[in-house]
Amino acid sequence: MKAWLIEQLQRLNMSEALVRPEGFTRQGYTTEETNAITVFRAIAEELGLASVEDAAGNIIARWEVPGGENAAVATGSHLDTVPNGGAFDGGAGIVCSLGAVKLLKQASFEPQRPIEVICFRSEESSRFGVSTIGSKAMSGLFDPTIGSLKDQHGTTLAEAVASQGFDWENLSKAKRPKEQLQSFVELHIEQGLHIVEHQKNYGVVKSIACPIRLTVTFNGKAGHTGTTPMDRRQDALTTAALFISFVQETALQLNDAYEKSLVATVSKLTSAPNSMNVIPHTVIAGVDIRSVDDLLKQKMAKAIRIEAERIEQTTGVSIAIDVLVDNPSVLLDPPLAEQLASDHETYSVHHMDSGAGHDVMNMAQVWPSGLLFIPCEDGLSHHPDESATAEDLVMGAELLARFLMEATTQ
Amino acid sequence: MKAWLIEQLQRLNMSEALVRPEGFTRQGYTTEETNAITVFRAIAEELGLASVEDAAGNIIARWEVPGGENAAVATGSHLDTVPNGGAFDGGAGIVCSLGAVKLLKQASFEPQRPIEVICFRSEESSRFGVSTIGSKAMSGLFDPTIGSLKDQHGTTLAEAVASQGFDWENLSKAKRPKEQLQSFVELHIEQGLHIVEHQKNYGVVKSIACPIRLTVTFNGKAGHTGTTPMDRRQDALTTAALFISFVQETALQLNDAYEKSLVATVSKLTSAPNSMNVIPHTVIAGVDIRSVDDLLKQKMAKAIRIEAERIEQTTGVSIAIDVLVDNPSVLLDPPLAEQLASDHETYSVHHMDSGAGHDVMNMAQVWPSGLLFIPCEDGLSHHPDESATAEDLVMGAELLARFLMEATTQ
């Protein structure tokens, strides 16, 4: 199983090396993502699964059970990456899901319900600033107004979708009736160090922190860098620097002051005109705030608003704050979490929260859903050094096989 | 003269409005710059000047004097702009120079030496990070190694030069023998408020502050914004924010502590990967430091180095500093400055320094050179609202005409 899982991950990533200096760049609704999905369908077919593509480009690879119950039990993840990301974020969930099917087939298991491995489109928010587009469509959470969002090259989301053969106008048709699925479990690398620090083998997630995302625009005044006295400037970048430091310091303070953890990051920043001899007149920053404690997240956002008003007064640079995303945290299905955590003699479990969003948070709006974490090296993700051990991938396949077996035996 | 000067400025800027919301974008070695230069040659021809193009694309428009002295007296400026800059930075010097010739022709003046109006190529540093490329070539200060510098679209300086019909390998041929010119005077908008604040009409510059320019690279570590705890990050952007605030605060302090003024600006900044859910791993910043007091400039650069080492220790983000430019200030010719300032009954003069570099700083390395400033509205430049009054343009033409007359009468 170990060799098979690694081989499939190599095929999906089209690289013998799973850790390499440039990482992997396979953004949502690109040919790179589509190519990986084509490999996924080939592997599913080799396992005897028939796969179909929905209107959003999600793939549902299905183990049909003609005489059994209708509602399927599903597992899955995604194959898109951030730019220069790793081979495991999304990929680990996909190969462990396929590995689980392989284990059940090898054991000649006969499910009483259909089993599905789902590969979702465009999970990462790095290209268009919105995440989990495929699973939103499948869960009926599709927002048609975001088709005009642009990537850094000016391509709109609707154009990107069309480039891969899908029609933005039809994306809502990917919505599945509730009765088609009984439950959904996603497996993902942890992207942190909680499992290892608690000396456990894997994690079962209770709730998922959804971000508040802000776009903050600083409007100052251009001027010649050589002739504009220091005390007569409205420099958008020095104002943004005060803001960035405030976000960092306040997030550290809130972590000290409250039990639940919070992270806040100024992750995007562009400065204009970005010329050596012109004072920056406009800075646009993206802020990502997360905590499973929604009140703590709101406290951070409120502190940012108050500070922005204060800085505006002292610097003369105007600051506008737009809310891109503000969703409450998602509580996953407690009975399913209990099932995923129970009766393990081989592997020990850590109950935890997830700081990152995943496709399962959309699926959980409709179907009882669960999330399994396997450890990843140094807690790293969204980084070329992102990796998980072959042993932990095997554990992942076994955990998912057990879930699928239990859920399709009743 | 007033209407004529405005009309020529409109022709050069190809716009009836000389102040407009988008300003003017006419970067060095682009078709836009070349188009404006073509208009310049047409106006020069209308005034009876024969113009030639040198190997760097500079234009020398010449009033020939067959029987007179050989060494010409020259004036001039440039026609390139920063992105979304104004119509007057460079343009004012060009039209006042042409206007001076027109005044002398109207007065049937007969010069004893040739008179030249020079239009230099690519004065602004906004495109390639280096300034005054044309005048460097003419003064023999051409540095062939910078041909590989790239603009933001990846075009090299050598390629840009080639795109306008010139050969980077031949640029050094634009160097003129010392005996070809007797003296050079540039007129420019002040890009500040010193003249107005001293209630004078125009400025004569004693020395020009040349910048120290640094490229500062912050290397941190990427990570998921939702899962990497605040106290385990090596965020390149929060580190850069500390640096930006330090530069701003230290520049303000040095201005309070010393007689001569200093400006320091973090004018360029890019952050990578610039993704909503990835902690910034690399920030590259450009710093521009200027003062006519070279020791003060060095003091600022040294403070930056010491602080960078300190921040590196506290944040774990490595900081590398590269020096792009570090030139001493340029003292202009004192007798020429005295001549430009003397005997004025109509206009009152303010003696001052220049915080910005100009083509004249290169010409001054070879020929006795002077720099005249006319006021500009609100001291603004490198900004769409940059402007100068028609009355001050007329004054500029008259000041240059007087200089040309005096210098070609002996």
Side-chain angles (χ1 to χ4, degrees), chain A residues 41 61 64 67 105 131 143 159 215 271 273 279 289 306 321 339 345 355 359 373 376 379 383 395:
Chain A
R41 297 186 77 163
E64 280 298 351
K105 294 259 179 182
S131 69
D143 173 4
E159 287 164 357
T215 297
S271 178
I279 296 166
I289 306 166
I306 293 168
I321 300 181
Q339 184 189 337
E345 293 177 2
D359 288 309
F373 277 163
C376 57
H383 188 284
M395 171 182 68

Side-chain angles (χ1 to χ4, degrees), chain A residues 54-372:
Chain A
D54 72 11
N58 301 309
I59 304 297
I60 301 165
R62 198 166 152 105
W63 181 345
E64 280 298 351
V65 182
E69 295 275 343
N70 282 329
V73 175
T75 173
S77 192
H78 63 96
L79 285 171
D80 64 310
T81 71
V82 299
N84 309 108
F88 295 80
D89 180 344
I94 291 290
V95 294
C96 289
S97 297
L98 292 166
V101 169
K102 189 175 169 67
L103 287 172
L104 295 181
K105 294 259 179 182
Q106 279 174 347
S108 303
F109 174 70
E110 288 183 8
Q112 304 303 304
R113 299 172 173 280
I115 286 175
E116 291 180 3
V117 178
I118 304 176
C119 179
F120 296 105
R121 278 272 181 178
S122 199
E123 192 267 350
E124 302 289 356
S125 60
S126 46
R127 186 170 179 199
F128 294 104
V130 291
S131 69
T132 62
I133 296 168
S135 56
K136 280 198 180 98
M138 192 178 287
S139 317
L141 303 170
F142 173 66
D143 173 4
T145 66
I146 62 169
S148 58
L149 290 175
K150 287 180 181 171
D151 70 7
Q152 60 173 342
H153 302 298
T155 304
T156 66
L157 174 49
E159 287 164 357
V161 163
S163 80
Q164 299 311 305
F166 307 99
D167 184 347
W168 185 253
E169 302 300 319
N170 286 338
L171 235 73
S172 61
K173 293 185 182 158
K175 180 181 175 180
R176 296 180 75 175
K178 186 170 165 50
E179 56 271 23
Q180 283 193 4
L181 289 179
Q182 189 223 41
S183 56
F184 175 79
V185 170
E186 180 167 0
L187 177 141
H188 206 277
I189 57 169
E190 183 195 344
Q191 310 181 277
L193 289 167
H194 293 285
I195 300 170
V196 171
E197 283 174 356
H198 288 82
Q199 298 181 298
K200 304 289 184 183
N201 295 124
Y202 74 103
V204 170
V205 175
K206 289 177 284 184
S207 53
I208 298 175
C210 291
I212 293 181
R213 285 182 171 157
L214 310 173
T215 297
V216 185
T217 305
F218 302 81
N219 271 310
K221 194 161 193 177
H224 193 294
T225 57
T227 59
T228 315
M230 295 306 295
D231 56 0
R232 296 214 183 156
R233 298 177 169 209
Q234 288 160 265
D235 183 330
L237 187 56
T238 56
T239 303
L242 296 174
F243 177 86
I244 294 165
S245 295
F246 175 83
V247 170
Q248 169 84 354
E249 283 159 25
T250 307
L252 283 164
Q253 284 164 15
L254 289 176
N255 270 292
D256 284 346
Y258 292 86
E259 195 200 342
K260 290 281 183 183
S261 68
L262 169 136
V263 285
T265 315
V266 180
S267 49
K268 297 187 78 171
L269 190 129
T270 54
S271 178
N274 213 31
S275 271
M276 197 44 125
N277 55 359
V278 186
I279 296 166
H281 58 72
T282 308
V283 168
I284 300 174
V287 186
D288 182 278
I289 306 166
R290 309 205 201 194
S291 173
V292 291
D293 182 341
D294 289 327
L295 287 177
L296 193 54
K297 218 166 59 176
Q298 296 298 345
K299 196 182 280 283
M300 180 77 211
K302 190 177 171 194
I304 283 176
R305 270 171 222 290
I306 293 168
E307 178 68 3
E309 277 179 32
R310 197 192 65 78
I311 300 177
E312 209 169 34
Q313 296 298 319
T314 58
T315 65
V317 170
S318 73
I319 306 176
I321 300 181
D322 293 314
V323 179
L324 275 182
V325 180
D326 182 1
N327 291 328
S329 298
V330 174
L331 182 71
L332 296 175
D333 190 56
L336 186 45
E338 203 172 314
Q339 184 189 337
L340 292 170
S342 66
D343 284 338
H344 279 258
E345 293 177 2
T346 322
Y347 305 118
S348 58
V349 67
H350 175 57
H351 290 277
M352 59 188 294
D353 293 317
S354 172
H358 296 288
D359 288 309
V360 69
M361 71 192 178
N362 300 319
M363 299 300 277
Q365 306 297 322
V366 186
W367 299 282
S369 297
L371 176 57
L372 289 169

Side-chain angles (χ1 to χ4, degrees), chain B residues 129-184:
Chain B
V130 290
S131 69
T132 62
I133 296 168
S135 55
K136 280 197 179 95
M138 192 177 286
S139 317
L141 301 171
F142 173 66
D143 173 3
T145 65
I146 62 169
S148 57
L149 290 174
K150 288 182 180 165
D151 69 10
Q152 61 173 342
H153 303 295
T155 305
T156 66
L157 175 50
E159 287 164 357
V161 162
S163 80
Q164 299 310 306
F166 307 99
D167 183 348
W168 185 253
E169 301 300 318
N170 285 339
L171 236 70
S172 61
K173 293 184 184 160
K175 181 183 174 180
R176 297 180 75 176
K178 185 168 166 48
E179 57 272 22
Q180 282 192 4
L181 290 178
Q182 189 224 41
S183 56
F184 175 79

